[in-house]
Amino acid sequence: MINPGIFLGIFVQLALLGTLDAVTGLGPLGWIAGAAYGVAVGGFLTYGLNRSTARSLGPADAVTLGRSGLVGCVTALVVDTAGRETVTMVVIASVALALDAVDGQVARRTGTASPLGARFDMEIDAYLILILSVVVAQSLGPWVLTIGAMRYVFVAASRLWPWLNSPLPPNMARKTVAAVQGIALVAVVSTILPLWAGFAVTLGALGLLTWSFGRDTWWLLERHAFAATPAEVA
């Protein structure tokens, strides 16, 4: 049975798409993409709730779910309008990025932080970066897709090397680098930067992301190697 909060999230997604349609004239492809995204998010959340100790979504999860609805609208615009609604896309993506700082604060202040909520938040961020990288790649080249794909390549690699799934220590630099990706991509999508500056900003963001993933992977590798080393016999 679908959780009422998740059902409400799907309804909000459809309502946001309806509003977007009234503003931009969203076509069938946009509706299909946005609605499919909303249903997929609902399905993954239902799966996550069934596997976790939580039985309902917390207040921070509600914020993330609302942010997810905005990301669904960005998806619809990317699929349907082929860049014709750049201003609308930039505004919606910017609000979604800004709200990323809200759900964490809500979780801490209400004492409702959970592994599911943290994972939900991370996956929404990763998907937004992926869809924005698709837009930027249209002007700067397919290499930009590396930014959006890196998280998913890491997840795929963890299937082969399970030690990559080990928990990482909290790190502000990691969070900052992730935030920079979204900000940089939105700035380039907005076309406020000349092409050469957009190229430089995007390349710099990719460099930071590569460094961040590389550092975390090295830390996990060292931890795995240490755990696999037999203890010395006294």
Side-chain angles (χ1 to χ4, degrees):
M1 181 177 179
I2 191 169
N3 182 275
I6 297 175
F7 181 81
L8 179 60
I10 295 174
F11 176 80
V12 169
Q13 177 70 84
L14 295 176
L16 287 172
L17 290 173
T19 303
L20 187 63
D21 185 13
V23 174
T24 66
L26 197 62
L29 286 178
W31 270 102
I32 292 171
Y37 167 86
V39 171
V41 169
F44 284 126
L45 270 180
T46 300
Y47 176 78
L49 279 174
N50 290 337
R51 288 175 56 89
S52 72
T53 56
R55 289 294 174 264
S56 62
L57 300 178
D61 300 325
V63 175
T64 309
L65 197 56
R67 199 158 63 86
S68 173
L70 296 176
V71 175
C73 290
V74 174
T75 301
L77 287 172
V78 171
V79 170
D80 188 72
T81 64
R84 294 192 302 273
E85 296 294 338
T86 299
V87 174
T88 305
M89 186 188 304
V90 167
V91 170
I92 295 174
S94 297
V95 174
L97 289 171
L99 287 176
D100 188 27
V102 175
D103 45 15
Q105 292 183 5
V106 171
R108 288 187 292 270
R109 291 181 180 181
T110 59
T112 56
S114 68
L116 175 61
R119 179 67 181 270
F120 182 31
D121 179 60
M122 179 175 61
E123 296 300 342
I124 293 302
D125 290 340
Y127 178 78
L128 178 57
I129 290 172
L130 172 64
I131 202 72
L132 289 174
S133 70
V134 170
V135 179
V136 175
Q138 295 174 16
S139 59
L140 296 185
W143 64 270
V144 181
L145 296 174
T146 307
I147 294 177
M150 197 170 297
R151 157 70 183 163
Y152 299 99
V153 170
F154 187 87
V155 171
S158 68
R159 302 293 184 182
L160 297 175
W161 300 289
W163 51 268
L164 288 172
N165 281 319
S166 301
L168 288 162
N171 186 277
M172 184 56 67
R174 185 186 309 116
K175 295 179 180 179
T176 302
V177 169
V180 165
Q181 306 308 306
I183 294 171
L185 291 172
V186 166
V188 177
V189 171
S190 70
T191 67
I192 61 174
L193 300 173
L195 189 61
W196 67 266
F199 184 92
V201 167
T202 307
L203 186 61
L206 176 58
L208 285 174
L209 190 63
T210 303
W211 166 79
S212 180
F213 270 97
R215 186 191 61 167
D216 287 344
T217 301
W218 184 256
W219 187 91
L220 290 170
L221 178 60
E222 287 189 322
R223 185 173 182 269
H224 171 69
F226 178 79
T229 301
E232 294 184 3
V233 179

